[in-house]
Amino acid sequence: MKKISLYINILLIFFPAFSLSYPFTGIYFQSRILGLPFLIWYTLISKKHINKNLLVFILALLISLIIPVLGLLTNRIFSLMDIGYILSFLYLIVFAQAMGNNFIIFINFVKLFTLANIIYSILQTILMNIGLETLAMIHSNLPVKIDSGYVLPASILPYTFRFSGLFNESSPLIFYLCSSYIFLSEISSENRSKNTFIIQVLTLLTILISGSKYSYAFLINYVVIKLVALIEEKNLRRLSYVIVITLILYLFNQYFSAILSSMSETLPAFEDRKLNIENSINLLSYLDFLGNGFLPSSTGESGGLDAITIVVGGYGILFGMTILISFLIWILLSKLKNKPIFVVVYILGLLSSGSFLISQYTIFFTMIYVINKQYKISAFYLNDSDRKDSLIQS
């Protein structure tokens, strides 16, 4: 019976863009939140204490609880999104805890969800090319998308479009696919199965042809990190990082304006995102201590899609940055073989899709937690084996 509650939650995650609540209540929230009672019930009957590795998310949950209450005494706006953040952080804690105790189920979910998004992206591309644009977004009932008659924009390559997969837009999809690719690399680095390798290849090809700014930034960073990692000598590796970073900074200094101008001409969305990030930096100068509250990013009311605009703007510089930086430190302290790439995925996510209400952050952080949990289990058994060997030898 306990497993059924897990499978219900996994099924609900397959609806990141279609809200099952919206047709009945008129309130749009992601369907996975409907599974929260089942997850809490699973946690209670499992009689397992919340792992201390999840304390960073408990801190975020406390901030999401306290700031709206204190904000009632100031000019901070209270909205349903405040409740959404409370539920999202709570969901993350119990979901990660549950998946950490069900490693194989989580891996199979990641594989299946990745394949589902790739297959659906192919279907979207076909529908767009034969003129059935509205059917390509039938998986989403986000009101602002429906009201605006949103269709997938064209990509750089001919006959390709900025497919969204099962998500609302391409950026959340690519965020997830990059996370999935690195996660599968991490868990299969020593014993890679054939089907995992095929999924990784398909994922990489999808990222390549997506036309997303996130995908190109990810691939550039991925190649640089892997090239530097080829250098075994630690001091040489540090020197190579300095050289590569210096070279990148020099090239950006020389060609930054030309690159921005070219990208703005070929990709109109790039210009919008650049302006949003500039506006988010300016926002910091007139933020209230407890933030200004949350405004919908999907409608453009928030002024940007990055985490500075959304999270820091919602909770203030002190508490908003505490959440963002504590998550980053948590990743840096995690037992990851591909730690620099996980950091890149996180930072690019903050720049492109900075709302923690979306499900890819839940999955991304759960991936890292699950890897940490398995590392500790493996280390325990390795030490236990060593102790047995020493006893036998003595």
Side-chain angles (χ1 to χ4, degrees):
M1 187 67 182
K2 288 195 298 183
K3 296 290 184 186
I4 293 176
S5 67
L6 293 183
Y7 292 130
I8 289 173
N9 276 276
I10 287 172
L11 177 63
L12 290 172
I13 291 178
F14 274 79
F15 298 91
F18 191 89
S19 172
L20 296 174
S21 67
Y22 183 69
F24 302 102
T25 66
I27 300 174
Y28 185 97
F29 58 84
Q30 290 199 5
S31 296
R32 78 184 193 284
I33 301 299
L34 294 173
L36 185 55
F38 297 100
L39 277 179
I40 294 174
W41 175 77
Y42 173 85
T43 302
L44 291 174
I45 63 173
S46 297
K47 297 180 180 178
K48 293 184 180 293
H49 298 293
I50 297 296
N51 193 290
K52 64 181 181 180
N53 202 22
L54 293 170
L55 290 177
V56 64
F57 304 113
I58 294 175
L59 172 63
L61 175 62
L62 290 175
I63 290 174
S64 70
L65 284 165
I66 293 169
I67 297 303
V69 175
L70 294 178
L72 295 175
L73 305 175
T74 68
N75 294 323
R76 184 185 183 275
I77 299 170
F78 178 85
S79 71
L80 288 175
M81 293 178 67
D82 281 303
I83 299 174
Y85 270 86
I86 294 169
L87 295 176
S88 293
F89 287 134
L90 179 58
Y91 183 92
L92 169 58
I93 293 166
V94 290
F95 181 76
Q97 174 87 358
M99 292 299 107
N101 296 323
N102 294 274
F103 182 63
I104 301 301
I105 290 177
F106 183 69
I107 291 176
N108 289 334
F109 155 70
V110 171
K111 290 179 180 180
L112 188 60
F113 191 51
T114 301
L115 278 176
N117 274 283
I118 293 171
I119 293 169
Y120 194 73
S121 296
I122 294 171
L123 176 61
Q124 285 182 308
T125 303
I126 294 171
L127 290 171
M128 292 297 294
N129 275 293
I130 62 177
L132 298 175
E133 295 90 350
T134 54
L135 289 180
M137 288 299 293
I138 198 170
H139 66 286
S140 172
N141 64 347
L142 184 66
V144 67
K145 297 292 185 185
I146 295 174
D147 295 341
S148 64
Y150 176 81
V151 295
L152 297 172
S155 186
I156 295 175
L157 299 174
Y159 305 107
T160 61
F161 295 84
R162 296 282 303 279
F163 42 73
S164 67
L166 295 170
F167 296 88
N168 273 315
E169 292 181 339
S170 62
S171 286
L173 168 67
I174 302 306
F175 184 166
Y176 169 74
L177 291 181
C178 292
S179 305
S180 170
Y181 180 81
I182 298 305
F183 174 74
L184 294 177
S185 298
E186 187 89 11
I187 64 170
S188 62
S189 57
E190 295 178 1
N191 186 20
R192 176 173 297 180
S193 64
K194 185 177 179 181
N195 68 344
T196 301
F197 177 72
I198 292 171
I199 293 172
Q200 282 189 279
V201 171
L202 292 174
T203 303
L204 190 58
L205 288 173
T206 307
I207 293 170
L208 277 168
I209 65 173
S210 67
S212 168
K213 302 173 289 297
Y214 188 118
S215 63
Y216 300 132
F218 167 78
L219 290 170
I220 291 169
N221 280 278
Y222 181 82
V223 170
V224 169
I225 290 168
K226 286 298 182 182
L227 287 175
V228 171
L230 291 175
I231 303 171
E232 294 297 331
E233 186 68 34
K234 183 175 278 189
N235 290 330
L236 267 175
R237 184 179 296 184
R238 288 172 179 168
L239 178 61
S240 63
Y241 271 120
V242 173
I243 292 172
V244 169
I245 291 171
T246 303
L247 180 61
I248 291 172
L249 290 175
Y250 171 77
L251 291 173
F252 262 71
N253 183 54
Q254 291 292 104
Y255 305 108
F256 187 62
S257 297
I259 291 171
L260 287 182
S261 177
S262 175
M263 292 290 283
S264 297
E265 291 174 4
T266 56
L267 294 171
F270 179 86
E271 177 67 17
D272 293 338
R273 193 60 54 86
K274 180 171 71 74
L275 289 173
N276 287 339
I277 292 174
E278 291 173 355
N279 291 336
S280 70
I281 295 172
N282 295 329
L283 172 73
L284 298 178
S285 61
Y286 57 88
L287 266 182
D288 290 336
F289 179 69
L290 298 176
N292 297 335
F294 291 105
L295 291 173
S297 56
S298 59
T299 60
E301 292 178 55
S302 66
L305 299 174
D306 59 283
I308 298 295
T309 301
I310 297 173
V311 179
V312 178
Y315 290 131
I317 295 176
L318 176 61
F319 297 103
M321 292 303 294
T322 295
I323 292 175
L324 301 184
I325 294 173
S326 63
F327 288 175
L328 176 60
I329 293 173
W330 179 75
I331 296 171
L332 291 171
L333 294 177
S334 296
K335 304 295 183 180
L336 303 166
K337 298 185 186 76
N338 297 292
K339 189 179 298 182
I341 306 174
F342 276 97
V343 170
V344 166
V345 172
Y346 173 65
I347 292 175
L348 290 178
L350 297 184
L351 292 174
S352 61
S353 303
S355 171
F356 289 128
L357 295 178
I358 50 183
S359 60
Q360 60 266 36
Y361 281 104
T362 298
I363 301 171
F364 174 70
F365 290 133
T366 301
M367 287 174 177
I368 298 173
Y369 174 76
V370 165
I371 293 169
N372 267 319
K373 186 81 181 292
Q374 286 304 115
Y375 175 87
K376 290 180 180 178
I377 292 173
S378 300
F380 172 80
Y381 283 116
L382 177 62
N383 293 334
D384 190 50
S385 176
D386 289 343
R387 285 196 296 272
K388 287 178 182 177
D389 290 342
S390 65
L391 285 171
I392 292 170
Q393 290 170 6
S394 63

